[in-house]
């Protein structure tokens, strides 16, 4: 019997091509590219067409609504036909939809239509599809593998801003849209075609050896499903609220433009740290408790930002704490679904539970913006976010013990128990 550490190392030796394909697929997909690029491109659109920033930013919730409509269908398709064809097809369509913004002609309705199309066809590039393969390919390192695989959002979220700044200055905003949209085709697609394979796909249609887990109707009748949905609704609202408003929030706190430029990229870096650290922790400790502890950190960050004129180092710490929490959401959701509902309807359940995350992350920035419009600041919304982060973590605690633990871990515990029993029997025999 191989030792536990050897099995852990073997998972990464075998699975690194899959991990790389997911890092690139998620990092160059719908989750990070539109979200992190709109802040750089909005001034160009406003200057070109005279649009307000509020009307440009409305594209984000338009895409969110499209994802909420299509997301469960994408999850269902992933469970029925496999996530590989769904993810690869969506990656191609998303790339062309993103490049479509280069044809913007000044019509806001057409601009919003492009956002809706991009959200609908790009929904398959969200972690709904990619994480199923990671869950089926890793057991003992499931949390860490998810964290590493999904850190692509932080990596490309950090890199895309300077890249866009260079593209806009050198070639204009239309070229920036075209080249950025081509990145998924040039980088993520070839690797996905070669390496993105779901280890559980061969069992999707096999009736005599189905994947373990609950079917969708069973999960919907389970209180654990609604606890996870409620928790993610609350803390996704609280985490997503301050991030798009970060530059304006820091400006209100008295920071200079140069200081804001140096502080804002910390979000992308801390997302990477949050993904890897959170994944490592849930592999070793009970995930709901880990979530509560990690969600208390951005609560502290919101309180720091709520204070009057925080120092540069204090603001840096606050942004890092909020970013770390933003880095654990997708992989935490994937881990909880795998451990409490199994792999049978994984993609469908992820698509359904993603609705609560999307609702919270879509409403959060709007609520923060409404607070600013009404009061000229973010004091109330920061306090509300602080409370929701803690309450959202507490909601996960009644989930209880995992239903679908690592097969290798269970076997290792059985062997260890048998070894201890043998030692005890020898000790009980005189002269042994």
């Amino acid at each position: 019997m191989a030792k536990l550490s050897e099995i852990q190392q073997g998972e990464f030796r075998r699975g690194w091509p899959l991990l790389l394909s997911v890092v690139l697929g998620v990092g160059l997909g719908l989750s990070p590219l539109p979200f992190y690029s709109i802040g750089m491109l909005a001034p160009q659109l406003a200057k070109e067409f005279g649009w307000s920033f509020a009307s440009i930013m409305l594209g984000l919730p338009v895409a969110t609504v499209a994802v909420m409509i299509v997301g469960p269908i994408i999850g269902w398709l992933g469970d029925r036909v496999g996530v590989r064809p769904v993810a690869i097809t969506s990656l191609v369509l998303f790339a062309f939809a993103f490049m479509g913004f280069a044809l913007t002609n000044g019509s806001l309705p057409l601009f919003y239509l492009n956002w809706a199309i991009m959200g609908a066809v790009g929904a398959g590039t969200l972690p709904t599809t990619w994480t199923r393969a990671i869950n089926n390919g890793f057991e003992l390192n499931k949390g860490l593998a998810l964290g590493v695989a999904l850190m692509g959002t932080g990596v490309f979220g950090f890199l895309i801003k300077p890249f866009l700044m260079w593209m806009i200055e050198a070639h204009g905003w239309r070229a920036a849209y075209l080249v950025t949209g081509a990145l998924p085709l040039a980088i993520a697609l070839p690797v996905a075609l070669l390496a993105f394979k779901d280890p559980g796909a061969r069992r999707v249609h096999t009736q005599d050896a189905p994947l373990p887990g609950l079917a969708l109707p069973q999960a919907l009748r389970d209180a654990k499903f609604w606890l996870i949905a409620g928790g993610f609704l609350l803390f996704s609202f609280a985490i997503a609220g301050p991030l798009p408003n970060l530059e304006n929030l820091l400006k209100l706190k008295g920071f200079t433009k140069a200081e804001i430029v140096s502080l804002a990229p910390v979000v992308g870096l801390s997302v990477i740290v949050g993904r890897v650290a959170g994944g490592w922790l849930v592999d070793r400790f009970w995930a709901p408790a880990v979530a509560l502890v990690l969600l208390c950190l951005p609560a502290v960050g919101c309180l720091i930002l709520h204070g009057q004129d925080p120092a540069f180092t204090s603001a840096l710490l606050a942004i890092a704490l909020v970013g770390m929490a933003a880095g654990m959401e997708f992989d935490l959701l994937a881990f909880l679904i795998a451990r409490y509902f199994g792999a049978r309807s994984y993609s469908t359940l992820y698509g359904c539970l993603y609705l609560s995350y999307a609702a919270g992350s879509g409403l959060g920035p709007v609520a923060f913006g409404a607070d600013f419009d009404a009061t000229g600041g973010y004091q109330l919304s920061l306090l509300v976010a602080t409370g929701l982060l803690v309450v959202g973590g507490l909601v996960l605690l009644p989930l209880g013990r995992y239903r679908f633990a690592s097969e290798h871990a269970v076997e290792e515990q059985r062997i260890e128990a048998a070894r201890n029993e043998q030692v005890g029997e020898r000790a009980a025999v005189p002269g042994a």
Side-chain angles (χ1 to χ4, degrees):
M1 176 64 65
K3 293 183 179 179
L4 192 62
S5 59
E6 294 174 352
I7 298 174
Q8 289 176 315
Q9 294 170 8
E11 282 188 333
F12 279 107
R13 281 196 299 269
R14 293 188 304 271
W16 72 263
L18 173 61
L19 276 175
L20 177 62
S21 69
V22 177
V23 169
L24 297 176
V26 173
L28 291 170
L30 180 62
S31 177
L33 284 193
F35 185 82
Y36 287 107
S37 65
I38 191 171
M40 300 296 297
L41 292 160
Q44 309 302 317
L45 297 172
K47 180 180 178 180
E48 181 86 9
F49 303 116
W51 294 343
S52 68
F53 271 67
S55 61
I56 296 171
M57 293 295 176
L58 189 59
L60 285 171
V62 169
T64 298
V65 171
V67 170
M68 292 176 69
I69 295 172
V70 176
I73 301 173
I74 293 294
W76 181 84
L77 285 173
D79 285 330
R80 295 302 181 276
V81 304
V83 292
R84 175 180 164 85
V86 172
I88 290 175
T89 302
S90 184
L91 192 66
V92 174
L93 296 177
F94 163 74
F96 284 108
F98 192 92
M99 287 189 282
F101 285 113
L103 302 176
T104 301
N105 61 2
S107 169
L108 273 174
L110 289 178
F111 180 70
Y112 296 144
L113 178 61
N114 203 144
W115 276 96
I117 293 173
M118 184 181 66
V121 302
T125 68
L126 295 171
T128 308
T129 51
W130 304 100
T131 55
R132 179 187 177 109
I134 296 297
N135 270 312
N136 288 333
F138 292 82
E139 269 300 327
L140 292 177
N141 295 290
K142 191 184 295 291
L144 180 58
L146 287 168
V148 171
L150 295 177
M151 73 180 185
T153 56
V155 171
F156 288 99
F158 174 73
L159 295 176
I160 198 65
K161 289 182 180 291
F163 174 77
L164 281 171
M165 183 181 298
W166 172 76
M167 280 297 305
I168 291 169
E169 291 178 353
H171 305 287
W173 64 269
R174 293 184 189 274
Y177 268 124
L178 286 173
V179 175
T180 303
L183 292 178
L185 300 177
I187 299 175
L189 180 61
V191 179
L193 289 172
L194 290 173
F196 182 62
K197 299 175 182 178
D198 179 11
R202 63 184 180 276
R203 298 174 61 186
V204 171
H205 300 293
T206 306
Q207 295 183 358
D208 58 341
L211 290 168
L214 277 65
L216 178 62
Q218 294 174 301
L220 292 176
R221 293 193 298 268
D222 194 323
K224 289 179 171 55
F225 177 93
W226 299 104
L227 287 172
I228 295 173
F232 272 81
L233 175 66
L234 295 177
F235 57 72
S236 66
F237 179 100
I239 294 172
L243 293 181
N245 295 280
L246 185 60
E247 287 84 358
N248 193 40
L249 192 157
L250 293 172
K251 181 180 178 181
L252 292 174
K253 294 297 181 181
F255 291 99
T256 66
K257 184 177 181 180
E259 290 174 327
I260 293 172
V261 170
S262 62
L263 284 169
V266 173
V267 173
L269 295 176
S270 56
V271 164
I272 299 172
V273 174
R275 292 219 186 283
V276 177
W280 185 87
L281 287 169
V282 297
D283 278 333
R284 288 154 178 79
F285 306 100
W286 186 49
V290 171
L292 176 59
V293 172
L294 293 182
L295 288 171
C296 286
L297 298 179
V300 173
C302 287
L303 288 178
I304 294 174
L305 294 174
H306 179 270
Q308 294 296 323
D309 300 331
F312 183 89
T313 53
S314 298
L316 180 67
L317 174 62
I319 294 169
L321 293 177
V322 175
M324 285 182 64
M328 59 164 267
E329 290 177 314
F330 287 144
D331 38 323
L332 175 65
L333 179 59
F335 188 90
L336 292 176
I337 294 172
R339 287 296 183 235
Y340 287 104
F341 302 106
R344 181 178 177 183
S345 300
Y346 173 84
S347 295
T348 303
L349 290 173
Y350 198 117
C352 292
L353 286 169
Y354 185 85
L355 295 180
S356 62
Y357 169 84
S361 60
L363 292 173
V366 175
F368 269 67
D371 185 21
F372 173 75
D373 290 338
T375 66
Y378 299 97
Q379 299 302 94
L380 176 60
S381 50
L382 285 168
L383 280 179
V384 171
T386 301
L388 291 180
L389 286 163
V390 177
V391 174
L394 291 172
V395 166
L396 299 180
L397 294 184
L399 287 174
R401 298 177 60 183
Y402 299 146
R403 286 173 171 156
F404 300 91
S406 163
E407 296 175 3
H408 293 305
V410 171
E411 179 66 13
E412 190 74 14
Q413 292 171 1
R414 186 190 67 78
I415 293 172
E416 184 65 24
R419 185 181 297 114
N420 292 337
E421 184 178 348
Q422 292 175 356
V423 171
E425 290 175 353
R426 292 194 193 100
V429 177

